[in-house]
Amino acid sequence: MGKRIVPDIVVARLPLYLQTLKQLQREGEYTTSSNGLGKRIDISAAQIRKDLSHFGEFGKQGTGYAISYLIEQLEEILNVNQVWDMALVGVGFLGHAIANFRGFNSHGFQVKLIFDNNPTVIGSNIAGFIVQDSNKMEEIIQEHNVKVAMITVDSDHAQEVADRLVKSGVKAILNYAPVTIKVPEGVQIQYIDPIIELQHMTYYLD
Amino acid sequence: MGKRIVPDIVVARLPLYLQTLKQLQREGEYTTSSNGLGKRIDISAAQIRKDLSHFGEFGKQGTGYAISYLIEQLEEILNVNQVWDMALVGVGFLGHAIANFRGFNSHGFQVKLIFDNNPTVIGSNIAGFIVQDSNKMEEIIQEHNVKVAMITVDSDHAQEVADRLVKSGVKAILNYAPVTIKVPEGVQIQYIDPIIELQHMTYYLD
């Protein structure tokens, strides 16, 4: 696949293509074109063709892409032709919302473990999961061989939790705490931060 | 300011610089350098200098940036030297979490209006706000002159809600529904989607 030579900015767009293709499929479409796909997400057809060309030939001149085939291929490229178990650390309001989010499963992910350090929360049932003591995080995560985690603790504890997740063998962390986190080489980190997105938009407002 | 000529990819990085500067300030720092800032967020010093140079001269050769001054300047550039009232549409688990999030206020935003279409939820108090009937969204948003909104309804209703927000005068929409939304020219849209971020990371996992 030549993974190492694909720019990360290209990789970052693939999930958006996948999501949009699934949307088209739900709307009853069977085929689409770089043009049709691009219009949905404000990305040029040329960009989409160029991005996809890193991974192979997926469409035919004139007939475009078979949506179900391209979905399959993108799922394979993104390694979501399997379901990744996830650990969730921190069950405040946001942790609750994430634990109860039903959208993960059809996209390659499922919450499997939930941790918190609050004794009044540990042992309680959230969305069908028993909240476990975050002091036992390392051994439980290793035991379940979980490689993906989400952090929804407060900013002051996010780095410490991330360090412990990495020690437990986690290779991909989605951080909801509004703070930058350091992870070693070979561990992926991404951020969910509404303030970053909001400030990006207010730049353009009068 | 020459706003029109700054690439959006540069604008998108400014909130991250601002967040990191605030973090450094909380840690007791008074000055930093492009290098020091860059190390925190894995962006090169050259890139940071180039990004900031679109807006002026903020640092001095040898002494770097005065953090509080650069924060002030970035807040002004991003238009968050004021507080933007926000409307929140949809109060499921995620809407609850957002309504209860205390982090907006110190970054230029506050939830002001909450809407839902569920009669059992309308009139209830969430985080100090009375949930209002989304059928009255247009007039209430106009009355309060709200320009920023967050959508946390399900995918099937996100576009319809966005259309109504735009009609109400909203100019910036943060969409949490995992679906692409069309907005007219002059209206900003950004997305919060954990699945996109997770799939971006699993690309790199074995």
Side-chain angles (χ1 to χ4, degrees):
Chain A
M1 279 289 185
K3 283 199 173 189
R4 260 145 257 270
I5 60 159
V6 179
D8 184 60
I9 188 99
V10 174
V11 176
R13 281 190 288 263
L14 300 182
L16 187 59
Y17 299 161
L18 177 57
Q19 185 198 67
T20 310
L21 288 162
K22 285 185 171 181
Q23 199 175 327
L24 286 166
Q25 195 176 51
R26 276 197 307 276
E27 293 169 12
E29 302 292 330
Y30 291 96
T31 60
T32 188
S33 59
S34 301
N35 220 357
L37 188 55
K39 267 190 198 157
R40 289 288 183 120
I41 46 183
D42 276 329
I43 295 180
S44 75
Q47 182 71 69
I48 292 174
R49 273 192 294 271
K50 200 177 154 200
D51 286 352
L52 294 179
S53 73
H54 285 283
F55 305 96
E57 270 292 340
F58 302 112
K60 287 202 183 106
Q61 193 74 35
T63 59
Y65 306 109
I67 289 176
S68 65
Y69 176 73
L70 189 48
I71 286 175
E72 234 171 65
Q73 295 297 307
L74 285 172
E75 286 181 338
E76 196 181 316
I77 292 166
L78 293 168
N79 290 318
V80 290
N81 52 351
Q82 60 180 294
V83 177
W84 296 87
D85 290 336
M86 295 191 291
L88 170 64
V89 189
V91 284
F93 282 106
L94 186 59
H96 266 87
I98 292 170
N100 281 285
F101 178 55
R102 293 279 155 263
F104 288 124
N105 295 40
S106 50
H107 300 282
F109 302 92
Q110 61 185 4
V111 174
K112 183 85 178 184
L113 302 171
I114 301 184
F115 297 98
D116 202 283
N117 66 355
N118 182 344
T120 66
V121 174
I122 295 166
S124 67
N125 185 321
I126 292 178
F129 302 95
I130 302 297
V131 179
Q132 304 192 69
D133 186 345
S134 54
N135 282 322
K136 299 178 187 152
M137 205 157 68
E138 284 88 341
E139 58 179 278
I140 298 172
I141 287 177
Q142 279 173 36
E143 187 190 313
H144 286 84
N145 197 30
V146 168
K147 298 296 177 198
V148 181
M150 292 179 288
I151 296 180
T152 58
V153 302
D154 58 65
S155 297
D156 292 344
H157 296 97
Q159 181 66 60
E160 180 208 325
V161 166
D163 292 343
R164 294 179 56 195
L165 289 170
V166 170
K167 265 187 217 155
S168 315
V170 165
K171 297 294 182 196
I173 297 174
L174 186 58
N175 176 35
Y176 282 81
V179 69
T180 312
I181 279 180
K182 292 247 169 240
V183 290
E185 189 95 4
V187 177
Q188 306 298 316
I189 177 107
Q190 291 290 340
Y191 297 87
I192 296 269
D193 189 340
I195 287 165
I196 298 277
E197 307 301 331
L198 288 167
Q199 291 182 341
H200 180 178
M201 294 194 285
T202 52
Y203 171 83
Y204 294 101
L205 301 193
D206 299 322
Chain B
M1 277 294 182
K3 284 200 171 187
R4 261 143 257 271
I5 61 158
V6 179
D8 184 62
I9 187 100
V10 174
V11 176
R13 281 190 289 264
L14 300 182
L16 187 59
Y17 299 160
L18 177 56
Q19 185 197 66
T20 310
L21 288 162
K22 285 185 172 182
Q23 198 175 326
L24 286 165
Q25 194 177 51
R26 276 197 307 275
E27 292 169 14
E29 303 292 330
Y30 291 96
T31 59
T32 188
S33 59
S34 300
N35 219 359
L37 188 55
K39 266 189 200 159
R40 290 288 184 120
I41 46 183
D42 275 329
I43 295 179
S44 75
Q47 182 71 69
I48 292 174
R49 273 191 295 269
K50 200 178 155 199
D51 286 353
L52 294 178
S53 74
H54 285 283
F55 305 98
E57 270 291 341
F58 302 112
K60 287 202 185 103
Q61 193 74 34
T63 59
Y65 306 108
I67 289 176
S68 65
Y69 176 71
L70 188 49
I71 286 175
E72 236 172 61
Q73 295 297 306
L74 284 173
E75 286 181 338
E76 196 180 318
I77 292 165
L78 293 167
N79 290 318
V80 290
N81 52 351
Q82 60 179 295
V83 176
W84 294 88
D85 290 336
M86 295 191 291
L88 170 64
V89 189
V91 284
F93 282 106
L94 186 59
H96 266 87
I98 292 170
N100 281 284
F101 178 54
R102 292 280 156 261
F104 288 125
N105 295 39
S106 51
H107 300 281
F109 302 92
Q110 62 184 3
V111 174
K112 183 84 178 183
L113 301 170
I114 301 185
F115 297 99
D116 203 283
N117 66 355
N118 182 344
T120 67
V121 174
I122 295 166
S124 67
N125 186 322
I126 291 178
F129 302 94
I130 302 298
V131 179
Q132 303 191 71
D133 185 346
S134 54
N135 281 322
K136 297 177 188 152
M137 203 156 69
E138 285 88 340
E139 58 178 280
I140 298 173
I141 288 177
Q142 279 174 37
E143 188 190 313
H144 287 84
N145 196 30
V146 169
K147 299 297 179 197
V148 181
M150 293 179 288
I151 296 180
T152 58
V153 302
D154 58 65
S155 297
D156 292 344
H157 296 96
Q159 181 67 59
E160 181 208 325
V161 166
D163 291 344
R164 293 179 58 196
L165 288 170
V166 170
K167 266 188 216 154
S168 315
V170 165
K171 297 295 183 196
I173 297 174
L174 186 58
N175 176 35
Y176 282 81
V179 68
T180 312
I181 279 179
K182 292 246 169 241
V183 290
E185 189 96 4
V187 177
Q188 306 297 316
I189 176 106
Q190 291 291 339
Y191 298 87
I192 295 270
D193 190 340
I195 287 165
I196 299 278
E197 307 301 332
L198 288 166
Q199 292 182 341
H200 180 178
M201 294 193 286
T202 52
Y203 171 83
Y204 295 101
L205 302 193
D206 299 322

